[in-house]
Amino acid sequence: MGHALVTDPARCTGCLQCELACSLKHEGVFAPWLARVVVHREPETCRAFPNVCRHCDDPPCVRACPVGALKPSPATGAVYVDVVECIGCRECLEACPNGSISFDPDKGVALKCDLCNGEPACAKVCPSEAITMERCG
Amino acid sequence: MSSGCDIIVLRVDLSQRCTSVERLPLQDAVRFLGGRGLASRILFSETGRGSDPLGDEAVLVFAPGHLTGTCAPTAGRTTVVGKSPATGLFMKSSMGGHWGAGLKFAGYDILVVRGTASRPTYLLITDTVVQFGDASHYWGLDVRETSRRMAKELAMPDVDVACIGPSGENNVKLAGIMCTYYHAAARGGLGAALGAKNLKAIAVRGHTPMRLADPARFWDVSEQVRRRIVATGRCKFYGKYGTAGVVVGTNEMEALPVQNFRRGYMENAYSISGQCLTEKGYLVRRESCFACPIACKRYSAAREKHPGSEAGGPEYETVAAFGAGCLLEDMDDNLRANELCNILGLDSISTASVIQWAFESAERGVVPEYVDDGRGGRIRLAWGDADAVLALIEMIAYRRGFGDVLADGVRAAAQKVGGDSWRWAVEAKGLEQSRVETRMAKAYALAFATNPRGPDHLYGQPMAEFGFSPEARDLVRRLTGDAKYADPVITDHKPKLVAWHEECFAMTDSLGLCSRATLSTYAITPAMMAEMLSAATGLEVTEDEMHQAARRVINLERAFNAREGAGRKDDRLPWRLMHEELPNSRGIKAVNSEEELGTMLDEYYDIRGWDRDKGIPKASTLVSLGLGDVASALRTATAAREPSQAGKP
Ligand code: SF4
Ligand code: SF4
Ligand code: SF4
C-alpha cells in the first residue's frame, strides 16, 4: 500500500507535539514515553531527532516475533502489534535496525507505529514538517 | 496529579530536610486558574509582611501551568513566584523549556520550597523519590556544566535541570533561575533567593501520565488552537526570525532603546537583529519549548570573534540590551554576551542595564573612566567597548572589583555612587526597565507603571495598542468600540486595554501557555483558554469566569505589595522617561509625565476597584472576589504600619 513516514531531523525543534499526539491517540493520556514515535533531544545543543518506524518491505521485526504478534493491518499494510498476542519478549526491539520499537513496561507489550489507520497524528501535528507522510503507489 | 483530578503540591523544607504533599481541590484550578494564580495564593498566605527575601522564611513556588504536560500548544511554561530580592516586592518570573512538564510527569503540579539548606544541596524529584543531594561539587559551576554533570552523575540522560549559576550563588540581585540549559526565569533576582537557600539545582523526571477529564474534547480544542497558531502571520514571523526579529521594526518606529534610553534609533540595527541571525548564518537551529508549535527559540554560534561561543538565544531583550543599549553592533559580541549571561545565570536585561548606567556615569564623570577589575587590572568604561562589556558581565556574576558595585542592581548602584546618577538609572520599584520605549506607547507606560514586579512587559503586554495585525485591531475594536484607539501615542481607553492584557497574562501564565501565543500574536484567545481548561478539568468555565479569576490573582498580587507598603506612589516610570524627551523625526513630544500617568492611573484604579489615592485594593473589591482573608490581612498590616496615625489630632 506504500504509506511511509519520512523524518527530517534538521527541521525538528524538539517540541514533542508528535509524542503527545501519539500517546493521546493510542493510550488516551499524555505520556510521551508511551508514544510510538520517539524524539531524542540533546538540550545542550538544542538538537532533536525524531525516530519512527520506516515500515520496511519484508520487516525484520515481523520475522523476529516468535508468536506472530506483529501483523499487517488490512487498511494500510502497516505492521501493528496485536497486544493480545504480544508476550513482551522484546525480540522485535532487537531486530529493528532503526530502533523504532519501544516498550511499555507496565503492560509488558511492544509499542510500535501503526500509521494511525492512514491518518498519522504525528505528521499532522508536527509544526515543522520534520515528520511527513509519503504515499507511494 | 494531572489536569483532571486534585492538584498535588509538593512542599520541601530545606532546613528540616523533609517533604510533604498536600492536595488541593480541582475547583481551585478554576478559582485561581492554576499555576501562577495558586502560587501567588500560597506566597501571600505563607509569608508575612517584611519577610526577608534572602532569609529562612523566604518561600519560592515553582508552578508549571495547569495544562503543562498536555498537548495544549505552547503550554510548557513554568512560573516561579516569590518575594524579589531586587525589589522587595511580589515577583513572578516565567521560564520555558521542558522542566515544567518534567515536574508534572514526576507527579506534582506545584513545588513549594522553604528554609535554608546547611550546605550546597540539589533536589531530585521523580515519581518514586524526592531526594536531597549534596551539591558541594556543583557549587561554583556554570549552568551548562551543572546541567551536563548532573545528567551524567545521576545516569539520567533525560533529566531536566533547573539551576542557578555563580551569580545566584553570590547573591547577585540580577541572577535568574535557568532550566533546560538556556531557558530563564530571569527577572527579579530569584536566582539569588535560591542561592541564599543553598539550593543549586532541582532535577525532575518521571513517568506519571497526564489524565484529562475529557480527552476527546481537549484534543479537538487543541487542534483548533494549533491550526489558529499555524495560520497566524505573527507566529510564522517569530518562528522564522525569533523574538530578535522585532529589532528592525522597533527601530523603524524609533522606539528601540539605544544607549540607555537616550535615543530610539540606531543606524545599523540589522546587524543585531533576528533577520541577520537567520540570514547571515549565525543560527544553528530553531528550538521549541515543550509542546510549542511556534519555535521562536534559537541556538546560535559566533562566526568570527569568540570562536566556539554558542548557546541558546539570543532573544530580543538581549540584543536590544547589549546591542542597542551598550552599543555593541557586532553580532558575535552579542552572542558572547548572551552566552555569558546564560551560563552565569544572569538576567540579560538587568545586567546590560547596569552596564549602560556605568558607561553613562563614567561619561558624565560620576565614576572614574577606569575601574578596578578585581584581578589587579583595570577596565575602561566606554560605550561600545565589547571587551569592557564582557569583562563586566563576569565581574558582576562574581562580585569582582567594580562588578560588586553593580551586582545589587542599578538603584543600589546609584545610591552607592551618588551624585545625579539616579537620573540615568532606568528603573522603577528597583527593577531595571525592559527594552521597551514607553514614551511613545501610552498603554505600555501605564502597564509598566502598574506592574507589581517593576517596569517590564511581562505582566500586561498591551501590544494591541500598535494595531500591528488584524488580530490586534479586532481586539481594540472589541474593547473600546473603535479600532482607531489602536494608536500608541494617545491615552484614551488605554486603562481598559491594560486591564484586559493583565488578565489575559494571568490566564496565560496560570495555564502554562506562552505570551507569544496569547499576547504578542493574539493567536490563542481567552475563549479558547476557557475551553481548554473546561475540557481538561471537566468543570465548565466561561470566558467571563476566566477574567474574574484573573482579577482574583491580580488583586492577590497587588495585595502582597500593599502589605509591604507599596501603592500609588510606587506606580511610576523611571525618571528619564518621565523627564527627558525621546528625540524623533516625527516631531512628536515623546515623554511620559505625571499628568498623563495620573489621569490613566485614576481610570485604571477605578476599573480595578482600587482606592484612587492609595492605589491598593478596596476591602469591598477583595470581598467580592472571595478574598475576605486577604482584606483582613491588609487591614492588619496597615494598622501595624500606621499605629500613631489614629492617635494624632
Ligand atoms: S519496526 Fe523497525 S523493522 Fe519493523 S517495520 Fe518498522 S522500521 Fe522496519
Ligand atoms: S503514525 Fe500514529 S502511531 Fe505512528 S508514530 Fe505517528 S501518531 Fe504514532
Ligand atoms: S512534532 Fe515535529 S518538530 Fe515537534 S518534536 Fe515531533 S518531529 Fe520534532
Side-chain angles (χ1 to χ4, degrees):
Chain A
M1 262 319 166
H3 289 70
L5 290 173
V6 179
T7 59
D8 180 353
R11 304 183 75 107
C12 175
T13 64
C15 70
L16 307 190
Q17 278 286 351
C18 52
E19 292 187 352
L20 291 163
C22 186
S23 84
L24 185 72
K25 196 149 180 178
H26 291 81
E27 307 290 333
V29 294
F30 293 110
W33 55 94
L34 297 180
R36 281 73 174 149
V37 49
V38 176
V39 180
H40 171 71
R41 286 192 311 117
E42 291 174 6
E44 184 178 341
T45 53
C46 300
R47 287 187 295 178
F49 309 87
N51 183 358
V52 63
C53 167
R54 316 289 155 95
H55 298 281
C56 312
D57 297 330
D58 188 17
C61 54
V62 174
R63 278 187 271 120
C65 180
V67 295
L70 292 173
K71 303 171 176 173
S73 105
T76 58
V79 169
Y80 73 100
V81 182
D82 184 331
V83 291
V84 178
E85 310 217 350
C86 177
I87 55 170
C89 69
R90 308 190 195 209
E91 290 291 341
C92 58
L93 274 76
E94 294 292 325
C96 173
N98 304 309
S100 300
I101 306 188
S102 26
F103 196 73
D104 179 345
D106 293 331
K107 293 193 186 136
V109 294
L111 297 173
K112 187 193 164 301
C113 169
D114 62 6
L115 273 184
C116 295
N117 277 327
E119 303 239 352
C122 55
K124 184 177 179 187
V125 298
C126 175
S128 318
E129 292 171 359
I131 303 181
T132 45
M133 166 91 139
E134 220 164 62
R135 280 167 221 270
C136 27
Chain B
M1 195 279 321
S2 296
S3 295
C5 8
D6 283 357
I7 297 156
I8 301 195
V9 182
L10 172 66
R11 290 168 185 282
V12 171
D13 188 322
L14 293 165
S15 305
Q16 308 292 329
R17 280 176 90 82
C18 67
T19 66
S20 63
V21 172
E22 178 194 8
R23 285 170 181 270
L24 301 175
L26 190 55
Q27 280 79 1
D28 279 7
V30 175
R31 245 167 78 71
F32 294 99
L33 298 167
R36 167 182 146 195
L38 287 168
S40 294
R41 170 90 237 183
I42 291 170
L43 179 75
F44 187 90
S45 319
E46 301 185 14
T47 49
R49 184 172 64 95
S51 65
D52 177 359
L54 299 176
D56 261 3
E57 70 267 39
V59 171
L60 281 175
V61 190
F62 292 77
H66 195 69
L67 302 181
T68 302
T70 76
C71 72
T74 79
R77 298 193 67 94
T78 301
T79 302
V80 188
V81 168
K83 187 175 188 181
S84 163
T87 65
L89 297 172
F90 168 81
M91 184 55 58
K92 62 114 189 164
S93 198
S94 160
M95 57 193 187
H98 289 247
W99 190 90
L103 185 70
K104 290 274 185 160
F105 292 138
Y108 304 104
D109 293 290
I110 291 179
L111 166 68
V112 183
V113 178
R114 60 173 67 245
T116 310
S118 54
R119 59 190 151 90
T121 297
Y122 71 80
L123 286 173
L124 171 65
I125 303 174
T126 74
D127 30 16
T128 48
V129 292
V130 180
Q131 188 181 306
F132 295 80
D134 179 7
S136 306
H137 59 305
Y138 298 136
W139 206 254
L141 295 185
D142 72 34
V143 168
R144 192 155 49 192
E145 194 63 22
T146 305
S147 312
R148 190 190 287 155
R149 285 214 206 164
M150 283 191 74
K152 201 160 171 231
E153 286 171 27
L154 293 169
M156 291 181 175
D158 294 334
V159 78
D160 218 303
V161 175
C163 68
I164 54 169
S167 61
E169 297 171 9
N170 296 324
N171 285 349
V172 172
K173 296 195 178 146
L174 322 175
I177 298 168
M178 307 291 297
C179 80
T180 321
Y181 287 84
Y182 309 111
H183 299 263
R187 304 240 70 196
L190 295 179
L194 219 55
K197 294 190 170 312
N198 261 329
L199 186 55
K200 175 71 177 174
I202 307 171
V204 293
R205 182 169 177 267
H207 293 110
T208 306
M210 286 282 289
R211 290 173 206 285
L212 304 185
D214 189 340
R217 181 177 171 199
F218 193 83
W219 171 258
D220 286 345
V221 54
S222 293
E223 266 302 289
Q224 190 195 327
V225 169
R226 193 183 60 75
R227 280 198 297 271
R228 164 110 167 167
I229 287 176
V230 172
T232 301
R234 290 298 292 177
C235 292
K236 290 197 194 106
F237 174 87
Y238 284 114
K240 191 160 182 202
Y241 296 122
T243 56
V246 176
V247 165
V248 173
T250 311
N251 193 50
E252 276 161 15
M253 291 191 313
E254 300 174 281
L256 184 69
V258 177
Q259 213 177 13
N260 206 22
F261 285 84
R262 281 200 233 163
R263 288 178 284 133
Y265 181 82
M266 67 190 277
E267 277 304 321
N268 189 18
Y270 177 81
S271 72
I272 60 163
S273 69
Q275 287 77 351
C276 172
L277 204 67
T278 306
E279 289 154 5
K280 303 287 182 205
Y282 298 95
L283 178 67
V284 180
R285 283 191 81 87
R286 296 161 70 233
E287 197 213 3
S288 277
C289 299
F290 184 88
C292 175
I294 299 177
C296 78
K297 295 285 171 183
R298 323 268 95 178
Y299 186 81
S300 320
R303 292 184 49 206
E304 278 155 25
K305 290 159 88 175
H306 317 299
S309 172
E310 46 186 75
E315 301 286 339
Y316 165 80
E317 286 292 335
T318 305
V319 291
F322 287 107
C326 302
L327 303 185
L328 300 189
E329 291 194 7
D330 187 327
M331 181 61 90
D332 280 346
D333 292 330
N334 282 279
L335 293 181
R336 178 66 182 149
N338 172 63
E339 182 188 25
L340 279 176
C341 286
N342 275 337
I343 65 177
L344 297 172
L346 285 166
D347 173 3
S348 57
I349 299 174
S350 288
T351 303
S353 185
V354 290
I355 293 175
Q356 290 167 66
W357 171 87
F359 287 168
E360 185 158 352
S361 298
E363 179 190 342
R364 297 183 191 273
V366 184
V367 303
E369 188 183 351
Y370 287 89
V371 292
D372 166 26
D373 73 355
R375 282 187 164 162
R378 296 192 310 165
I379 59 152
R380 181 162 170 253
L381 299 175
W383 293 106
D385 186 328
D387 293 338
V389 170
L390 299 176
L392 281 163
I393 295 173
E394 294 197 60
M395 287 159 56
I396 291 169
Y398 293 97
R399 288 187 176 272
R400 266 202 327 253
F402 187 69
D404 192 37
V405 174
L406 305 178
D408 294 316
V410 78
R411 178 185 277 189
Q415 277 160 4
K416 290 177 207 170
V417 162
D420 274 347
S421 68
W422 57 273
R423 290 179 186 235
W424 55 88
V426 185
E427 59 82 21
K429 297 190 175 86
L431 189 79
E432 295 75 19
Q433 173 144 331
S434 63
R435 301 295 103 186
V436 178
E437 181 51 73
T438 55
R439 286 170 287 193
M440 289 209 285
K442 305 306 182 183
Y444 267 97
L446 177 64
F448 276 42
T450 55
N451 184 343
R453 14 190 264 169
D456 79 359
H457 54 295
L458 296 173
Y459 196 82
Q461 192 180 17
M463 271 242 198
E465 74 168 331
F466 292 103
F468 59 87
S469 71
E471 292 85 3
R473 287 187 295 277
D474 277 354
L475 178 67
V476 173
R477 188 178 308 114
R478 197 154 65 79
L479 294 174
T480 67
D482 197 326
K484 75 174 185 211
Y485 295 111
D487 176 350
V489 297
I490 61 171
T491 54
D492 310 65
H493 293 300
K494 291 300 165 66
K496 248 181 242 166
L497 287 189
V498 170
W500 186 91
H501 283 80
E502 288 175 343
E503 287 161 22
C504 185
F505 220 123
M507 300 172 205
T508 303
D509 284 341
S510 300
L511 267 53
L513 303 173
C514 180
S515 65
R516 196 89 51 242
T518 58
L519 290 150
S520 317
T521 60
Y522 302 103
I524 304 182
T525 62
M528 292 172 180
M529 292 192 249
E531 180 67 14
M532 285 193 279
L533 190 58
S534 302
T537 58
L539 305 168
E540 286 307 314
V541 198
T542 65
E543 182 179 350
D544 284 347
E545 285 163 345
M546 296 286 284
H547 276 280
Q548 183 74 352
R551 284 180 212 121
R552 201 169 280 131
V553 175
I554 289 162
N555 272 275
L556 253 174
E557 294 167 351
R558 186 74 177 189
F560 184 93
N561 281 4
R563 191 170 61 177
E564 299 294 332
R568 181 169 186 136
K569 63 180 180 359
D570 303 282
D571 285 348
R572 317 176 43 78
L573 292 162
W575 189 89
R576 169 158 282 167
L577 307 177
M578 302 276 284
H579 294 90
E580 292 177 11
E581 281 185 38
L582 175 72
N584 65 85
S585 66
R586 286 183 282 164
I588 305 171
K589 184 174 158 59
V591 70
N592 298 124
S593 68
E594 295 287 351
E595 304 74 53
E596 165 195 283
L597 200 54
T599 315
M600 289 196 291
L601 281 176
D602 285 345
E603 193 182 332
Y604 171 82
Y605 294 147
D606 288 351
I607 292 172
R608 283 267 171 260
W610 295 350
D611 183 286
R612 269 198 184 191
D613 295 333
K614 296 194 185 123
I616 66 173
K618 292 180 188 161
S620 54
T621 303
L622 293 172
V623 169
S624 74
L625 290 166
L627 299 172
D629 58 324
V630 175
S632 333
L634 268 196
R635 207 174 306 118
T636 317
T638 320
R641 196 164 26 248
E642 302 159 355
S644 52
Q645 300 300 96
K648 276 193 183 159

